[in-house]
Amino acid sequence: MERVIGTDELQSGERRSVFVDDIPALVIRIGDQWFVIEDVCSHDGQPMTDGELIDCSIVCPRHSARFDLASGRAMCMPATEAIRVFSVEIRDGAVWAAL
Ligand code: FES
């Protein structure tokens, strides 16, 4: 696993663009839950960096597909395929992630 960010570096509702294994990714904190997703929409390959967060999902700012942050599942059209999500561990005061 790769160290992504310190747990004191984001507040709930915040996000940061990172690279994990050279893959563009978003680390997102919601309460005490941490998510690391590949920052590439499965619909048209666009980044979702500034997408709206709703509960534990993100809305792609391009055409409004919505993805579950935990599973990557596409929740509405126009996306039909999941995005990749990283496995996450919290230890030593940091977030660690791997595909
Ligand atoms: S690129 Fe994300 S919904 Fe189209």
Side-chain angles (χ1 to χ4, degrees):
M1 288 202 145
E2 187 171 321
R3 186 186 186 284
V4 175
I5 195 169
T7 53
D8 59 351
E9 292 183 61
L10 287 184
Q11 301 298 314
S12 180
E14 293 183 332
R15 71 192 76 181
R16 184 166 308 164
S17 295
V18 296
F19 283 88
V20 181
D21 292 332
D22 294 327
I23 297 166
L26 266 185
V27 54
I28 298 165
R29 178 178 187 175
I30 298 177
D32 287 329
Q33 293 182 279
W34 291 84
F35 304 96
V36 182
I37 64 170
E38 184 174 19
D39 194 10
V40 178
C41 182
S42 67
H43 173 237
D44 199 21
Q46 300 297 306
M48 297 191 287
T49 316
D50 299 319
E52 182 183 3
L53 299 174
I54 301 175
D55 299 327
C56 289
S57 69
I58 188 167
V59 179
C60 178
R62 308 300 171 221
H63 314 107
S64 300
R66 184 173 165 190
F67 299 94
D68 183 279
L69 292 174
S71 67
R73 178 176 64 89
M75 300 170 70
C76 71
M77 296 294 277
T80 56
E81 299 195 359
I83 56 170
R84 295 196 295 179
V85 297
F86 294 76
S87 301
V88 172
E89 279 183 23
I90 309 299
R91 60 181 148 89
D92 303 329
V95 179
W96 300 74
L99 269 184

